[in-house]
């Protein structure tokens, strides 16, 4: 029997084996809020009731021990006035918002608050604001520093959004104290505002007078400079010279335009002449040139001589003299000679005339070019002179415009000066109430009153606050409990372990509506049940990995006792057998063998007997009710030697069985109680770990994963067994949906 190879070679085209570095896992604890809400729904409901009770109790406790009353004053902010007659400007929102923010700060400024304490007798404060002021009386003396710091804390002023109102608030434990202190802040703020308005009015008056003086000086300077320019440049002559230059530029432009038109015509003529001159068949003179040549005296004389010879020939013909007559022949020869002379003379004259026209056209174009250069040069000179003259005129115009603007600004400042003087007089002649009525932009529209209800505590806020606080505490406890709980509850917990793959999830049998009688054979007994369906999903996950890597032997290891590894191995073997795979199931759990009991098969002969060499493998294999599934039970007790699992005999057994079966599934003892699993992992092609939900912990799974990664066989991942819907989020709904769908299909 051949020995097992040291390493299995994957078939061509197979995907390479996944190394630990190729798989990953998150180290961040993931919390499913929906699952937590379902799991702790009754705790959360009790938390809401308890929080409401805490809120009610806290409300009445604070009401008796530490109530807070708030007195308020509302101010209206108006637009600034343009004059002492109390006419207001059109509101400028930006200016008003800036002014409102400034006044809100001024109401609670140190200057206003300290003025209250400095200008009010402590005995009056104790009398009018007894509860508030009495806490600062120490040894018969009033502690202004402590009172000032507390007054800063209890006094607030803020702009009411989207309005022109400012709200001043003072909060104390006594309603009368709040109203009194709020009134004092209002009073001293308005007094401080009046003083600041008077100071601001005087400052503005000084600034306006200074601006008027500066403008007068600037006007004098500009007028002096303008007169100097007029005197030195002669403004009248500048205007006349500028007009003359402008007119001359127009004439130059007209002459330049005419020259360009004539030059373009000459260029067209020259191009036509040169085209005729370079024609392949010789020069073809135009009709106008031929007409001009025919009018020459020399040509006319030749034409007349030809006409006379033709007349003589016609006369002889009329006399009946034939062509053979000597006189007729002489006349004919003379006529031909005259015509040849005419053509030769005409050609000479045409060439002479054409050459003259060509040279004349070229000379004309050169003349036009020279004239263009001269005119452009003159145009540039005139433009430069015109720009200089225009700059002088523009400088005078700018000065005139500046003087005009300064005088307008001077008139505006004079009007503003008059308004400020009127306001200054009003400050000096009218009493405080009149000044406030006429001058202030800040008006009180809602004075302070003694509050009748506290702003704290408020039952409508205390109940939600109690629920929030108690709920927050309970929520933190729940989340911490979930984070600190190291038990495997579902796939998300395994995903927290780095480089660990979740192969599948097997729900708890109690959540299967089909209620299988035997969990170990649920796939066979209830093929439409939920458990059977999840084993099909697990088979679908494993099959591509096994085929691509060429694996024949798969070790199924439980983490701890009762993890369900044996039932997983048996159901998975049934699932592979149902997909037309020839499967051999080996019971290698020498400590608690159970497969022979589940399948009602003999305990011996079996695995240990084959390893001991007492029974051949073919004689030890037993058939089952499924034609595609055979089983190799544990074997006789006498031959159960644990070390045999790591021997060469075990490797030879797997190699021999691999020749006859598509897949060999091995069940063994839990990894946490023995080293059998690690011994077999070095003999098998692949291994997977089975853990039970709410039983094993993440640390143990991480340690076992590391150990299996060091083995020869590939570690495929983890199967989570016995997952309950209480720990699986939406698992219960999914299971019910799967069951209803199966039942509908069967019906």
């Amino acid at each position: 029997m051949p020995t097992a190879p040291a390493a299995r070679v994957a078939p061509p085209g197979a995907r390479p084996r996944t190394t630990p570095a190729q798989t990953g896992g998150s180290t961040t604890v993931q919390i499913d809020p929906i699952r937590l809400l379902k799991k702790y729904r009754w705790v959360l409901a009790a938390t809401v009731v308890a929080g409401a009770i805490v809120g009610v109790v806290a409300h009445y406790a604070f009401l008796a021990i530490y109530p807070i009353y708030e007195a308020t004053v509302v101010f209206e902010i108006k637009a600034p006035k343009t004059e002492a007659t109390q006419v207001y400007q059109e509101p400028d929102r930006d200016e008003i918002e800036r002014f409102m923010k400034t006044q809100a700060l001024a109401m609670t400024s140190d200057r206003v608050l300290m003025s209250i304490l400095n200008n009010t007798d402590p005995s009056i404060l104790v009398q009018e604001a007894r509860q508030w002021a009495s806490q600062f009386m120490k040894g018969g003396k009033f502690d202004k520093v402590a009172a000032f710091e507390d007054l800063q804390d209890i006094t607030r002023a803020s702009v009411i959004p989207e309005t022109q109102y400012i709200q001043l608030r003072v909060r104390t434990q006594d309603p009368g104290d709040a109203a009194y202190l709020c009134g004092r802040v209002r009073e001293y703020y308005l007094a401080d505002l009046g003083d600041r308005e008077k100071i601001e009015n005087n400052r503005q008056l000084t600034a306006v007078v200074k601006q008027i003086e500066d403008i007068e000086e600037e006007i004098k300077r500009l007028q002096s400079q303008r007169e100097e320019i007029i005197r030195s440049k002669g403004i009248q002559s500048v205007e006349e010279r500028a007009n003359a230059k402008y007119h001359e530029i127009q004439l130059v432009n007209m002459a330049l335009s005419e020259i360009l038109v004539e030059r373009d015509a000459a260029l067209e003529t020259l191009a036509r002449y040169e085209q005729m001159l370079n024609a392949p068949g010789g020069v073809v003179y135009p009709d106008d040139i031929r007409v001009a040549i025919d009018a020459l005296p020399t040509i006319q004389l030749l034409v007349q001589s030809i006409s006379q010879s033709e007349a003589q020939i016609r006369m002889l013909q009329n006399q009946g003299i034939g062509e053979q007559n000597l006189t007729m022949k002489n006349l004919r020869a003379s006529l031909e000679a005259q015509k040849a002379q005419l053509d030769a003379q005409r050609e000479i004259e045409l060439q002479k005339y054409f050459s003259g026209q060509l040279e004349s056209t070229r000379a004309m174009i050169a003349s036009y070019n020279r004239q263009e250069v001269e005119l452009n040069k003159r145009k540039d000179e005139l433009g430069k002179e015109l720009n200089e003259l225009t700059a002088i005129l523009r400088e005078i115009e700018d000065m005139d415009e500046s003087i005009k603007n300064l005088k307008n600004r001077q008139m505006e400042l004079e009007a503003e000066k008059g308004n400020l003087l009127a306001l200054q007089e009003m400050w000096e002649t009218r009493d405080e109430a009149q000044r406030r009525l006429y001058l202030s932009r800040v008006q009180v529209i809602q004075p302070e009153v003694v509050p009748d209800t506290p702003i704290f505590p408020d039952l409508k806020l205390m109940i939600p606050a109690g629920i929030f606080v108690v709920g927050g505490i309970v929520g933190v406890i729940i989340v911490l409990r979930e984070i600190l709980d190291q038990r495997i509850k579902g796939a998300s917990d395994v995903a927290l372990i780095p480089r660990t793959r979740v192969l599948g999830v097997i729900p708890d049998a109690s959540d299967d509506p089909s209620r299988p009688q035997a969990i170990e054979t649920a796939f066979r007994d209830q093929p439409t049940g939920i458990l059977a369906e999840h084993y099909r999903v697990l088979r679908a996950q494993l099959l591509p990995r096994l085929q691509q890597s060429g694996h024949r032997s798969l070790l199924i290891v439980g983490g701890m006792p009762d993890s369900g590894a044996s039932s997983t191995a048996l159901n998975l073997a049934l699932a592979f057998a149902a997909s037309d795979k020839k499967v051999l199931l080996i019971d290698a759990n020498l400590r608690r063998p159970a497969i022979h009991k589940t399948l009602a098969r003999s305990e011996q002969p079996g695995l240990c007997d084959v390893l001991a060499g007492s029974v051949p493998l073919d004689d030890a294999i037993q058939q089952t009710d499924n034609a595609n599934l055979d089983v190799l039970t544990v074997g006789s007790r006498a031959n159960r030697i644990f070390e045999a699992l790591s021997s060469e005999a075990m490797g030879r057994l797997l190699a021999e069985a691999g020749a006859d079966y598509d897949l060999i599934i091995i069940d063994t003892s839990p990894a946490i109680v023995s080293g059998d699993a690690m011994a077999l992992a070095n003999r098998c092609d692949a291994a997977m770990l089975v853990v039970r939900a709410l039983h094993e912990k993440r640390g143990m799974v991480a340690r076992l994963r590391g150990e299996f990664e060091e083995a020869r066989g590939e570690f495929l991942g983890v199967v989570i067994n016995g997952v309950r819907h209480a720990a699986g989020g939406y698992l219960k709904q999914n299971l019910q949906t799967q069951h209803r769908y199966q039942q509908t299909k069967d019906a």
Side-chain angles (χ1 to χ4, degrees), residues 653-725:
L653 184 150
L654 294 176
E656 182 180 356
D660 298 328
Y661 292 92
D662 298 321
L663 180 63
I664 304 169
I665 296 178
I666 303 101
D667 177 35
T668 187
S669 304
I672 203 69
V673 299
S674 70
D676 298 350
M678 292 306 302
L680 289 170
N682 285 298
R683 293 295 176 181
C684 296
D685 296 331
M688 74 178 195
L689 181 65
V690 179
V691 298
R692 179 170 292 277
L694 300 175
H695 191 59
E696 277 95 334
K697 295 184 178 181
R698 291 198 297 269
M700 184 203 72
V701 175
R703 179 172 61 82
L704 293 177
R705 182 260 306 152
E707 293 177 358
F708 279 112
E709 285 181 347
E710 297 297 327
R712 187 190 71 85
E714 179 184 2
F715 179 66
L716 300 180
V718 178
V719 174
I720 309 171
N721 188 28
V723 177
R724 301 296 301 270
H725 68 266

Side-chain angles (χ1 to χ4, degrees), residues 306-317:
I306 291 172
S307 298
Q308 291 175 359
S309 297
E310 289 176 346
Q312 291 177 2
I313 291 173
R314 285 194 300 273
M315 183 180 67
L316 292 176
Q317 288 175 346

Side-chain angles (χ1 to χ4, degrees), residues 43 81 172 183 204 207 315 387 481 521 558 568 572 588 675 691 721 724:
V43 175
K81 303 166 188 176
T172 64
Q204 291 182 6
M315 183 180 67
N387 290 336
R481 183 177 183 274
T521 55
T568 300
L572 194 58
V691 298
N721 188 28
R724 301 296 301 270

Side-chain angles (χ1 to χ4, degrees), residues 79-117:
K81 303 166 188 176
T82 58
E83 55 185 31
T85 56
Q86 311 306 310
V87 178
Y88 285 91
Q89 299 177 0
E90 187 70 20
D92 182 353
R93 292 304 308 172
D94 292 338
E95 189 278 335
I96 290 178
E97 289 179 2
R98 289 194 300 270
F99 183 77
M100 291 173 67
K101 293 177 181 179
T102 302
Q103 297 310 310
L105 293 175
M107 291 176 189
T108 58
S109 64
D110 296 350
R111 182 176 61 254
V112 171
L113 299 182
M114 187 56 74
S115 297
I116 298 173
L117 300 176

Side-chain angles (χ1 to χ4, degrees), residues 50 119 131 160 162 234 270 351 455 509-510 573 590 632 661 667:
N119 299 319
Q131 185 174 346
I160 300 177
E162 305 299 330
L270 178 63
Q351 290 180 358
I455 62 169
S510 61
L590 307 186
L632 180 62
Y661 292 92
D667 177 35

Side-chain angles (χ1 to χ4, degrees), residues 604-617 619-620 635-636 638-640:
Q604 56 181 344
L607 172 64
C608 295
D609 301 317
V610 175
L611 295 178
S614 58
V615 178
L617 176 61
D619 294 341
S636 60
N639 290 327
R640 291 181 190 177

